[in-house]
Amino acid sequence: MQTKVLTRCFPIKPVTGANTALTANSQRIMCWLGDTQHKPVQFSDTQTDAMSRLLPLLLCGEQSAQLVFNSEINRLAAEQQHSLVVCLQDVEADEHRHDIALQQVAHSLSELPEFTQVQRKAKRFYAHLGRVSTYSEHFVRIAILDTCVTHIMQAFEHCHLGEEHRFSQLCGLIKKDEAKHVYVSRKHAIALGATLNQFSHQHEYVVGDLMTLLQTQGDAFESMGVCLDRLNQKLEAKWR
């Protein structure tokens, strides 16, 4: 199969560095990547159609996150806040690994008929998410979004593919990283001056706009066994 060239939602930035010692979960993702050659990710024709519309949503999120953390790392480095820089570098490195792994899944698809069309919608959502007046507000939104991604990945981990499927396994690994990112982003937002009221105020906006985006591909989620209504209920309950 000819290698596909996937356009990116956001430009790639050089990973600014991270601790040399990988976490156990990061090592598992690296092993997953290493197994790609002799354990290909396989989908049926119906699943391929659904995944061609769902992967751009996931990839765009990972690429947006890399850009956000890369920019914040550079800002903090200029202010010589080294301990914060190291913490955020680990998150950036995680997001980079997720991006590469999800690209491998996309390359395994026989066709990507609606990839670019869905990608444009996702790019608009993530670009709008970044239109904020303060750094604290931005990381409040990032923390809320990371919570959403954790639940999305959990849903894919237990979707119709089955828990032994390579994609399901990858989503389970990404879920664990994203749960860690929620803590880091939330802590960073509060350090920047965010209040609990800000989290409460922003969650309705972030979750509402995200669900609007996801519902544009509602039939693809449904065919994979991911119920958006149930996902929305979980996210609403999380922030009550």
Side-chain angles (χ1 to χ4, degrees):
M1 184 172 63
Q2 186 177 7
T3 300
K4 306 175 185 68
V5 178
L6 301 178
T7 58
R8 295 182 64 86
C9 269
F10 300 97
I12 191 167
K13 297 285 186 179
V15 177
T16 51
N19 294 334
T20 54
L22 296 177
T23 65
N25 200 61
S26 297
Q27 290 175 349
R28 293 187 188 102
I29 291 178
M30 294 302 293
C31 287
W32 187 97
L33 280 165
D35 288 343
T36 302
Q37 293 299 321
H38 60 277
K39 292 182 180 179
V41 186
Q42 297 179 322
F43 298 99
S44 69
D45 290 344
T46 301
Q47 291 163 354
T48 292
D49 178 70
M51 291 301 296
S52 76
R53 292 186 284 149
L54 298 177
L55 278 171
L57 300 176
L58 304 180
L59 275 165
C60 206
E62 300 295 347
Q63 292 164 10
S64 172
Q66 289 174 71
L67 191 61
V68 169
F69 281 97
N70 186 279
S71 298
E72 184 67 353
I73 287 164
N74 289 330
R75 185 183 76 84
L76 294 171
E79 297 179 0
Q80 298 187 344
Q81 299 192 46
H82 300 302
S83 60
L84 285 175
V85 165
V86 170
C87 183
L88 297 188
Q89 282 175 337
D90 286 341
V91 175
E92 180 193 27
D94 285 344
E95 302 290 10
H96 179 69
R97 279 186 287 270
H98 300 169
D99 182 11
I100 297 301
L102 289 170
Q103 286 187 52
Q104 288 297 322
V105 177
H107 285 307
S108 73
L109 298 179
S110 56
E111 295 181 43
L112 292 168
E114 298 187 56
F115 188 94
T116 303
Q117 181 183 354
V118 178
Q119 186 185 61
R120 291 195 195 102
K121 296 178 182 179
K123 184 175 181 178
R124 284 195 295 270
F125 165 78
Y126 285 104
H128 193 261
L129 194 76
R131 295 192 187 117
V132 292
S133 56
T134 65
Y135 294 114
S136 64
E137 184 181 2
H138 199 184
F139 274 88
V140 166
R141 291 183 177 185
I142 295 300
I144 294 168
L145 185 62
D146 284 344
T147 301
C148 297
V149 174
T150 301
H151 283 278
I152 291 169
M153 289 302 178
Q154 183 179 43
F156 277 121
E157 182 184 12
H158 302 287
C159 70
H160 288 338
L161 292 171
E163 295 182 18
E164 297 303 313
H165 193 277
R166 293 264 293 148
F167 179 68
S168 301
Q169 292 173 343
L170 175 62
C171 290
L173 295 172
I174 293 176
K175 175 196 71 177
K176 291 179 180 178
D177 279 345
E178 293 296 340
K180 177 184 70 178
H181 299 173
V182 173
Y183 172 79
V184 173
S185 297
R186 182 182 176 85
K187 185 177 179 180
H188 189 53
I190 292 172
L192 291 169
T195 65
L196 294 180
N197 284 339
Q198 275 185 288
F199 282 93
S200 179
H201 175 73
Q202 288 290 333
H203 97 270
E204 185 174 352
Y205 162 77
V206 174
V207 173
D209 275 16
L210 176 63
M211 293 307 301
T212 297
L213 171 64
L214 300 185
Q215 285 163 357
T216 65
Q217 310 306 320
D219 58 336
F221 279 104
E222 183 179 354
S223 72
M224 297 299 292
V226 175
C227 177
L228 291 182
D229 287 341
R230 189 178 303 121
L231 177 65
N232 189 44
Q233 289 169 4
K234 285 183 178 180
L235 294 174
E236 287 295 331
K238 184 79 177 174
W239 294 97
R240 283 197 186 109

